[in-house]
Coordinates of all heavy atoms in Angstrom, one line a residue:
D43 N -139.8 8.5 -183.1 CA -138.7 7.5 -183.0 C -138.9 6.4 -184.0 O -140.0 5.9 -184.2 CB -138.6 6.9 -181.6 CG -138.0 7.9 -180.6 OD1 -137.4 8.8 -181.0 OD2 -138.2 7.6 -179.4
N47 N -134.5 2.1 -183.5 CA -133.5 2.9 -182.8 C -134.2 4.0 -181.9 O -134.0 5.2 -182.2 CB -132.7 3.6 -183.9 CG -131.4 4.2 -183.4 OD1 -130.9 3.8 -182.3 ND2 -130.8 5.2 -184.1
Q53 N -129.2 7.3 -177.0 CA -128.4 8.3 -176.2 C -127.2 7.6 -175.6 O -126.3 8.3 -175.1 CB -129.3 8.9 -175.1 CG -130.5 9.6 -175.6 CD -131.4 9.9 -174.5 OE1 -131.1 9.8 -173.3 NE2 -132.7 10.2 -174.8
I56 N -123.0 2.7 -175.7 CA -123.0 1.3 -176.2 C -124.5 0.9 -176.1 O -125.2 1.0 -175.1 CB -122.2 0.4 -175.3 CG1 -120.7 0.8 -175.2 CG2 -122.3 -1.1 -175.7 CD1 -119.9 0.1 -174.2
Q57 N -125.0 0.4 -177.3 CA -126.4 0.0 -177.3 C -126.5 -1.3 -176.5 O -125.6 -2.2 -176.6 CB -126.7 -0.4 -178.8 CG -126.9 0.8 -179.7 CD -128.2 1.5 -179.4 OE1 -129.2 0.9 -179.1 NE2 -128.2 2.8 -179.7
Y61 N -124.2 -4.8 -176.5 CA -123.5 -5.3 -175.2 C -124.0 -6.8 -174.9 O -123.2 -7.7 -174.7 CB -123.8 -4.4 -174.1 CG -123.1 -4.9 -172.8 CD1 -121.8 -4.5 -172.5 CD2 -123.8 -5.7 -171.9 CE1 -121.1 -5.0 -171.4 CE2 -123.2 -6.1 -170.7 CZ -121.8 -5.8 -170.5 OH -121.2 -6.2 -169.4
T63 N -125.4 -9.0 -176.9 CA -125.0 -9.9 -178.0 C -123.5 -10.3 -177.9 O -123.1 -11.5 -177.9 CB -125.3 -9.4 -179.4 OG1 -126.7 -9.1 -179.4 CG2 -124.9 -10.3 -180.5
Y69 N -131.4 -14.6 -172.0 CA -132.6 -13.7 -172.0 C -132.8 -12.9 -170.8 O -133.0 -11.7 -170.8 CB -133.8 -14.6 -172.3 CG -135.1 -13.9 -172.3 CD1 -135.5 -13.2 -173.4 CD2 -135.9 -13.9 -171.2 CE1 -136.8 -12.5 -173.4 CE2 -137.2 -13.2 -171.2 CZ -137.6 -12.5 -172.3 OH -138.7 -11.9 -172.3
G72 N -129.9 -10.4 -170.2 CA -130.1 -9.3 -171.2 C -131.2 -8.3 -170.8 O -131.0 -7.1 -171.0
R80 N -132.2 1.8 -169.6 CA -133.1 2.8 -170.1 C -134.0 3.4 -169.0 O -134.8 4.3 -169.3 CB -134.0 2.1 -171.1 CG -135.1 1.2 -170.6 CD -135.9 0.5 -171.6 NE -137.2 0.1 -171.1 CZ -138.0 -0.6 -171.7 NH1 -137.8 -1.0 -173.0 NH2 -139.1 -1.0 -171.2
R82 N -133.9 5.7 -166.8 CA -133.9 7.2 -166.6 C -134.6 7.9 -167.8 O -135.2 8.9 -167.6 CB -132.5 7.7 -166.5 CG -131.8 7.5 -165.2 CD -130.5 8.1 -165.1 NE -129.7 7.8 -163.9 CZ -128.9 6.8 -163.8 NH1 -128.7 6.0 -164.8 NH2 -128.3 6.5 -162.7
S83 N -134.6 7.3 -169.0 CA -135.1 8.0 -170.1 C -136.4 7.4 -170.7 O -136.9 7.9 -171.7 CB -134.1 8.0 -171.2 OG -133.7 6.7 -171.6
L87 N -139.1 4.2 -162.5 CA -139.1 3.2 -161.5 C -139.7 1.9 -162.0 O -139.3 0.8 -161.6 CB -139.9 3.7 -160.3 CG -139.9 2.9 -159.0 CD1 -138.5 2.8 -158.5 CD2 -140.7 3.6 -157.9
K92 N -138.9 -3.9 -163.3 CA -138.7 -5.0 -164.3 C -137.4 -5.6 -164.2 O -137.2 -6.8 -164.3 CB -139.0 -4.4 -165.7 CG -140.5 -4.1 -165.9 CD -140.6 -3.5 -167.3 CE -142.1 -3.1 -167.6 NZ -142.2 -2.5 -168.9
K94 N -135.4 -5.7 -161.6 CA -135.4 -6.5 -160.4 C -136.1 -7.8 -160.5 O -135.6 -8.9 -160.0 CB -136.0 -5.7 -159.3 CG -136.0 -6.4 -157.9 CD -136.6 -5.5 -156.9 CE -136.6 -6.2 -155.5 NZ -137.3 -7.4 -155.4
A102 N -133.0 -16.8 -158.0 CA -133.7 -18.1 -157.7 C -133.2 -19.3 -158.4 O -133.1 -20.4 -157.8 CB -135.2 -17.9 -157.9
E104 N -130.1 -19.7 -159.5 CA -128.8 -20.1 -158.9 C -129.0 -20.7 -157.5 O -128.3 -21.7 -157.2 CB -127.9 -18.9 -158.8 CG -127.4 -18.4 -160.2 CD -126.7 -19.5 -160.9 OE1 -125.7 -20.1 -160.4 OE2 -127.0 -19.8 -162.1
E105 N -129.9 -20.2 -156.7 CA -130.1 -20.8 -155.4 C -130.7 -22.2 -155.5 O -130.3 -23.1 -154.7 CB -131.1 -19.9 -154.6 CG -130.5 -18.6 -154.1 CD -131.4 -17.7 -153.4 OE1 -132.7 -17.9 -153.5 OE2 -130.9 -16.8 -152.7
A106 N -131.5 -22.5 -156.5 CA -132.0 -23.8 -156.7 C -130.9 -24.8 -157.1 O -131.1 -26.0 -156.9 CB -133.1 -23.8 -157.8
K107 N -129.8 -24.4 -157.6 CA -128.7 -25.2 -158.0 C -127.9 -25.7 -156.8 O -127.1 -26.6 -156.9 CB -127.8 -24.6 -159.0 CG -128.4 -24.3 -160.4 CD -127.5 -23.6 -161.3 CE -128.1 -23.2 -162.6 NZ -127.2 -22.4 -163.4
K111 N -128.8 -28.4 -147.6 CA -128.1 -28.7 -146.4 C -129.0 -29.6 -145.5 O -130.1 -29.6 -145.4 CB -127.7 -27.5 -145.6 CG -126.6 -26.7 -146.4 CD -126.1 -25.5 -145.6 CE -125.0 -24.8 -146.3 NZ -124.5 -23.6 -145.6

Side-chain angles (χ1 to χ4, degrees):
D43 285 341
N47 194 22
Q53 301 169 16
I56 301 170
Q57 290 282 330
Y61 181 85
T63 301
Y69 179 81
R80 75 181 201 187
R82 286 184 186 91
S83 58
L87 193 56
K92 288 177 181 181
K94 183 180 180 299
E104 290 303 306
E105 287 177 342
K107 292 177 187 177
K111 291 183 179 181

